[in-house]
Amino acid sequence: MAAITWKDVLARTDLVGGDIETQEDGRVFRGPIRSVRNAGNTILFETHWAAVMERPGVWKKYGDANTAISVEMSWATPSDVGQGRVAFSIPFVGMATIFPKGGSKLDPKKVKGLEADSWEEPI
């Protein structure tokens, strides 16, 4: 793993359209990244929707659309973990992995309770 900076992460154009996955208290959440932005001392990852893993390979819609995951820049250091992926720890919460566009992606058709209009790309 190679340490990178949040400035490096914000400069990446291949993250929007990829997925972000978090592991929190034994639960796994995942969703497609809609935007990545700096909000003061916080990096905000906004997703089109989020899913929670019920058991390996089985996902269910989680919460409302437009979910956000944030991390205080001073609390976490991102790392390049290979294949374009970025990982970081969220103190007191868990771990996060960002999968770039074209990498590993959760198939929205396999997420129970997710309506097609919440994941279809606009024309």
Side-chain angles (χ1 to χ4, degrees):
M1 290 195 312
I4 55 176
T5 66
W6 286 114
K7 184 177 179 180
D8 298 329
V9 172
L10 289 167
R12 301 252 321 250
T13 59
D14 63 337
L15 299 182
V16 172
D19 276 11
I20 186 165
E21 180 177 289
T22 62
Q23 298 177 21
E24 308 170 28
D25 287 331
R27 298 174 73 189
V28 179
F29 300 89
R30 191 158 178 165
I33 300 171
R34 185 180 65 191
S35 67
V36 179
R37 63 185 172 91
N38 183 331
N41 189 40
T42 302
I43 301 295
L44 187 63
F45 298 91
E46 295 175 304
T47 64
H48 291 282
W49 49 265
V52 60
M53 184 187 292
E54 292 187 316
R55 61 184 183 276
V58 178
W59 295 86
K60 181 180 176 183
K61 180 183 173 194
Y62 181 80
D64 295 325
N66 305 325
T67 302
I69 297 151
S70 63
V71 62
E72 294 288 324
M73 289 187 283
S74 60
W75 290 4
T77 302
S79 295
D80 178 339
V81 293
Q83 299 177 339
R85 296 170 299 165
V86 174
F88 56 93
S89 237
I90 305 170
F92 311 109
V93 177
M95 291 290 302
T97 303
I98 304 167
F99 300 88
K101 184 171 24 180
S104 173
K105 191 147 185 76
L106 176 58
D107 183 350
K109 294 176 186 171
K110 295 182 180 179
V111 177
K112 292 190 287 185
L114 186 63
E115 299 296 324
D117 62 354
S118 66
W119 55 264
E120 290 179 340
E121 293 289 326
I123 298 174

